[in-house]
Amino acid sequence: MCGRYVMALRAGDLIDALEACGIDDVALAGPATGVDASPAGPEQSWRVSWNVAPTSTVPILVERYEEGADEAGTHAGRQREIHPARWGLLPRWAETAAFSSKTFNARSETVVSKPSFRSAVRRRRCVVPVQGYYEWKVSQEPQTGKTVRVPHLVRDRERPLILFAGLYEWWKDPEREAQGRDAWVLSTTILTGPSPDVGEDGAGPAHGDRPVLTELAQLHDRLPLAMSADEAADWIAPGERSREDTEADVERLRLGAVEVARGWTLHEVDRAVGNVRNDSPELIRPPDVMF
DNA sequence: CCAGACGTTGTT
DNA sequence: GTCTGG
DNA sequence: CCAGACGTTGTT
DNA sequence: GTCTGG
């Protein structure tokens, strides 16, 4: 799954990194119109961070068509934009922003039917770009039987970013509305799936898998769903999909995510990452003392 | 019918 | 908004 | 996701 | 044990 990650790039560098990953034509959010990308709150942006936690503001990549553009065939009116969004999806009917602490991940197996996600998954898909994500490996101390959680960083071996499959939603904050402020909040979530099946003891490649899939499976039983640039372009293409098409899209996503994960690498990091108040480049390095 | 939840992960 | 539980 | 709090009254 | 804050 994914409940903590790294996004220490400012807008300009993020756009460059996306381009290096094969995602072109990205702009910062401009004045927006229309149902699916309405009032872009210009006030808030994301904070550079090596320790991004749920409910904080993160950059997401969305795509929409300019008003009046030809939606069939041509890319003329296509707008790919980076918007700041609250991490944790807020359905239209959420009563408070606190709801988002429960929806920072969406299970791909049920996302099409769950009330919180089913609307967004059919027509509000996005990319959540990360430089790497943290996962706490749970194990038992053989002596005491105590449970220990050791944080690891997962990143791509070749590319500067991992492109997570996400959803977004606009939510009108009653509190802000009462204060007469801009009340629209953009929110987002990251899809998850089962970790790759690499066999019982995880010792060897069960069916030709490279070791990293085995490592990932041992790290955790869930995997955040990542995409290649091509898959990402398809995923965020605007327009409403039928429920059946959506099911197929998500299934395809789950299969592709395992292939993308073959390109990852992971290593242990310092326990300091557990406390969200710690935020520095040191967090992504292996621990100082490793024996 | 109304009331209440709407989520994920991990742990037991 | 819409489904589930009672 | 993990870490840390988990409470009230009254005073400054 | 469970919720809140970050």
Side-chain angles (χ1 to χ4, degrees), chain A residues 58-105:
Chain A
V58 301
I60 65 172
L61 176 67
V62 302
E63 184 169 307
R64 62 190 180 86
Y65 279 92
E66 282 289 355
E67 199 83 14
D70 176 13
E71 292 202 12
T74 158
H75 285 173
R78 189 183 69 190
Q79 295 290 313
R80 285 178 172 171
E81 296 174 342
I82 295 173
H83 288 250
R86 181 184 172 100
W87 184 17
L89 200 79
L90 292 166
R92 317 294 295 209
W93 42 260
E95 287 178 7
T96 72
F99 193 88
S100 66
S101 63
K102 305 187 283 191
T103 50
F104 56 89
N105 285 156

Side-chain angles (χ1 to χ4, degrees), chain A residues 156-167:
Chain A
D156 197 281
R157 275 197 300 271
E158 308 289 338
R159 299 161 183 241
L161 299 173
I162 293 174
L163 309 173
F164 283 142
L167 311 176

